[in-house]
Amino acid sequence: MDLGLRGRVALIGGSSSGLGRAVAGELAAEGANVVLCARNAERLAETAAVIRRASGVEVVEVAADLSDRSAAQHVAARAQEVFGRVDILVNNTGGPPAGPFDAHDAAAWENAYRLLLESVVTLTRALVPGMRERRWGRVINITSIAVKQPVDNLILSNSMRAAVTGFARTLANEVAADGVTVNNVMPGYTRTDRLVALATSNAQRTGVSPEEAYAQWEREIPMHRVGEPAEFAAMVAFLASDRASYITGTSIPVDGGWIRSII
């Protein structure tokens, strides 16, 4: 299936590792030129080199902390400077610390807001006007299954990612007539460094080993396994494509059936 991504330009946040890296690799494999950004410059350069060799597309990396508004603006400006446009924006950052409500002070809430919500608003504000002018664009937010079914011990993520969902659903209506779609993809338990960190946190909280915490998740998933980043990236690539031109305002889980709700 030709997804129609060859020659498109995609900006992917948090793309030096995990889900962001998988998405960047998938979009590049489909022929899109990609702009990668993450905080760790060394890891980002290594990721860019791997994707460049594997795909042959143009890859630009910009080391930046997207929770810093000026840094996020710089990433968007750099992408437009190099390519003249961004067709596909994949909003993605690392997750905030785990813990219950009384474990997080005002600074933790402020940091979570900047990381998960303000970064999305800043990049979207910078890039969506151009998409509307060209009458083609994709905004894809990587959120979490916690939006649909809150996960214990993740109050910061549960709260801020729900806010992103409300923002995206409203924006989708405002830009739909201009050929711009806005969707969210909700990863379930997926084999990334973030999942290892959550297993360690849950183990400390409940008094079990990290291995048992991991096994508990697998028992809860109807497929009885965690997901692979490539499986998640395939959904993002589809939503970025011409084939998904009539899909907007949705939140789609990639979770092996973990969410139990009907809709």
Side-chain angles (χ1 to χ4, degrees):
M1 179 187 295
D2 182 3
L3 294 180
L5 292 175
R6 186 161 302 281
R8 295 290 187 187
V9 178
L11 190 160
I12 307 100
S15 44
S16 66
S17 62
L19 297 179
R21 178 170 178 159
V23 168
E26 185 76 8
L27 294 176
E30 292 292 335
N33 300 309
V34 294
V35 179
L36 312 182
C37 61
R39 289 175 293 186
N40 188 314
E42 184 177 349
R43 184 183 295 178
L44 186 64
E46 182 271 333
T47 297
V50 169
I51 292 175
R52 197 177 286 117
R53 286 195 301 269
S55 65
V57 302
E58 190 166 354
V59 181
V60 173
E61 67 266 28
V62 187
D65 180 353
L66 292 178
S67 67
D68 180 323
R69 185 187 307 165
S70 62
Q73 291 169 336
H74 169 68
V75 172
R78 177 62 178 153
Q80 291 172 313
E81 175 187 346
V82 174
F83 293 108
R85 71 186 197 282
V86 171
D87 304 302
I88 301 157
L89 169 61
V90 181
N91 284 307
N92 175 55
T93 62
F101 175 69
D102 58 8
H104 304 297
D105 60 13
W109 282 92
E110 177 70 17
N111 290 338
Y113 159 75
R114 292 185 181 279
L115 179 69
L116 295 182
L117 180 56
E118 187 175 47
S119 64
V120 170
V121 174
T122 299
L123 287 173
T124 302
R125 181 185 289 122
L127 298 175
V128 161
M131 296 179 186
R132 298 181 81 173
E133 287 180 11
R134 294 184 297 275
R135 303 194 66 78
W136 198 100
R138 303 286 185 264
V139 178
I140 302 166
N141 305 306
I142 298 179
T143 59
S144 170
I145 50 173
V147 169
K148 190 86 168 180
Q149 187 172 315
V151 176
D152 290 345
N153 207 44
L154 289 181
I155 193 167
L156 294 177
S157 181
N158 294 347
S159 301
M160 296 303 166
R161 295 192 195 279
V164 171
T165 303
F167 165 77
R169 186 62 191 86
T170 308
L171 179 66
N173 290 346
E174 296 180 6
V175 301
D178 298 318
V180 179
T181 66
V182 184
N183 292 291
N184 309 304
V185 187
M186 304 182 291
Y189 293 105
T190 311
R191 198 181 306 280
T192 63
D193 291 343
R194 168 72 169 170
L195 193 63
V196 174
L198 291 179
T200 301
S201 175
N202 282 359
Q204 293 170 346
R205 179 173 60 93
T206 59
V208 301
S209 68
E211 292 75 19
E212 175 54 31
Y214 214 90
Q216 176 60 36
W217 290 328
E218 292 183 323
R219 288 193 292 270
E220 293 173 359
I221 300 167
M223 289 188 175
H224 297 302
R225 66 175 178 85
V226 300
E228 299 296 334
E231 294 175 306
F232 178 85
M235 174 57 73
V236 176
F238 174 71
L239 289 175
S241 73
D242 284 335
R243 298 295 184 117
S245 58
Y246 203 58
I247 301 171
T248 196
T250 64
S251 290
I252 300 176
V254 182
D255 67 347
W258 183 84
I259 294 174
R260 296 303 202 271
S261 63
I262 296 174
I263 57 174

